[in-house]
Amino acid sequence: MIISHDVAGTGPAVLLLHSSVCDRRMWDAQWQPLADAGYRVVRCDFRGFGDSPLADRPYSDAGDVLALLEHLGIESAALIGASHGGRVALTVAALRPHAVSALALLGAGMPGHEPSATLRAFGAREDELIEAGDVAAAVELNVSTWLGPDADEEARESVRRMQRHAFEVQAEATGGPDREEVDLTRITAPTLAVSGAHDLPDFREIAAALPVRLPGARHLELPWAGHLPNLERPHEVTRMLVEFLADTAGSR
C-alpha cells in the first residue's frame, strides 16, 4: 500500500512528515510557500492518521516513506519532520543516506530514546483517559501538552481535529509500526535540529545532542516555542525552513 499523500510544485524534492498528534494537514501553512519557493513538495499521512488506513500486516513508517519516494520516482529528498515524523526522518536517513539531501527536525523523537519520567507520565495519563472512554479529555491533554503559549485558537482547534480523528481511526488498531534498529552515524545529510524552550525535556535534549552525534548537524532552540512550532508561529517557521533548504537541499 502507498500511504496517502499530496504533491505540489517542481524542483528539488521536499517531504513533510507529521507528528503523531497530527496528520499531513499540520503542514497547511508551509505547503504552498515551499512549492512557491521552487520545490517539489510531498506530504503524507502515516498509517492510522489522516487518510491512510490502519495496517493489516507488519510495517514500518520508514519503510512506507521509502516506498512512497520510490513510487514518486524521487531518488533524493530533503526531509522535514515534526516529533514522530522527525524520528522517522532520522530512521530513513540512517537506512538510506544517499536518499536524503537534508534534514530539518522540529521537536524530533529519536530511535532508541528512553522516555523520561515526564513523558511516561503523559503517556500513562493519556492511556487512562482513553481506557475510560473520555476521548475529549485525552484530546485536550494533547493540546495543552504539545502546543506552546504562542499557539492561537485556530492552531489549537486544528490539533483537536487531527488528534480526535487519529484516536477514532486507531481505536480499532491491534498493533503499531515495527521499531527499526538504525545506526545514526550513517547519516550524512546536513541537519537542522530545532527545539522549543517550552517543550518537554526529552525533545529539547534530543535536539541539543544531535550535533554531537551527527557532524553535519546544528541545534537551534526557539525561546517562544513548544513542541509544534510550525503551528505556533507558522510564518516564522516557514521562513526558517525556506532559508535552510536554500542553503542545503539543492547542494548535494
Side-chain angles (χ1 to χ4, degrees):
M1 184 194 85
I2 300 300
I3 53 178
S4 186
H5 61 279
D6 305 313
V7 184
T10 59
V14 176
L15 175 59
L16 306 173
L17 302 174
H18 65 80
S19 159
S20 61
V21 185
C22 303
D23 54 49
R24 74 183 191 262
R25 291 174 290 178
M26 77 172 290
W27 302 110
D28 282 352
Q30 288 73 44
W31 173 248
Q32 193 59 50
L34 287 172
D36 292 343
Y39 298 99
R40 183 185 184 194
V41 189
V42 183
R43 60 178 177 176
C44 60
D45 287 328
F46 297 127
R47 299 194 198 212
F49 295 88
D51 295 325
S52 291
L54 292 169
D56 57 2
R57 65 195 67 187
Y59 74 101
S60 74
D61 288 325
D64 283 346
V65 167
L66 288 167
L68 175 60
L69 293 175
E70 182 177 358
H71 172 73
L72 295 173
I74 296 173
E75 295 183 358
S76 178
L79 306 186
I80 299 175
S83 190
H84 175 69
R87 183 188 188 281
V88 175
L90 284 166
T91 303
V92 170
L95 292 173
R96 301 278 181 84
H98 296 295
V100 179
S101 62
L103 285 169
L105 309 171
L106 309 179
M110 186 170 69
H113 174 72
E114 185 65 30
S116 68
T118 302
L119 188 54
R120 290 197 303 272
F122 162 80
R125 180 56 179 157
E126 182 185 62
D127 289 344
E128 289 174 3
L129 293 170
I130 293 296
E131 289 168 8
D134 196 347
V135 174
V139 168
E140 290 307 313
L141 173 67
N142 278 273
V143 171
S144 62
T145 300
W146 302 121
L147 284 171
D150 281 11
D152 61 18
E153 186 54 34
E154 181 179 356
R156 295 178 186 280
E157 185 55 33
S158 177
V159 171
R160 287 187 186 102
R161 287 194 302 270
M162 290 185 282
Q163 180 65 91
R164 188 179 300 112
H165 177 73
F167 281 148
E168 291 168 353
V169 171
Q170 295 165 23
E172 304 300 322
T174 57
D178 293 336
R179 296 293 186 178
E180 294 182 281
E181 296 294 329
V182 295
D183 179 4
L184 295 184
T185 64
R186 298 186 70 231
I187 296 174
T188 59
T191 300
L192 175 63
V194 178
S195 59
H198 297 277
D199 200 358
L200 269 61
D202 297 68
F203 304 101
R204 298 181 68 194
E205 291 167 7
I206 288 169
L210 278 175
V212 177
R213 305 188 66 166
L214 307 178
R218 64 182 176 93
H219 172 226
L220 172 65
E221 178 147 294
L222 303 176
W224 50 266
H227 189 59
L228 301 170
N230 72 300
L231 293 173
E232 297 162 20
R233 289 192 186 179
H235 299 299
E236 186 169 331
V237 172
T238 299
R239 183 170 60 252
M240 177 185 70
L241 293 174
V242 169
E243 291 173 356
F244 172 72
L245 291 172
D247 290 338
T248 58
S251 63
R252 285 159 57 85

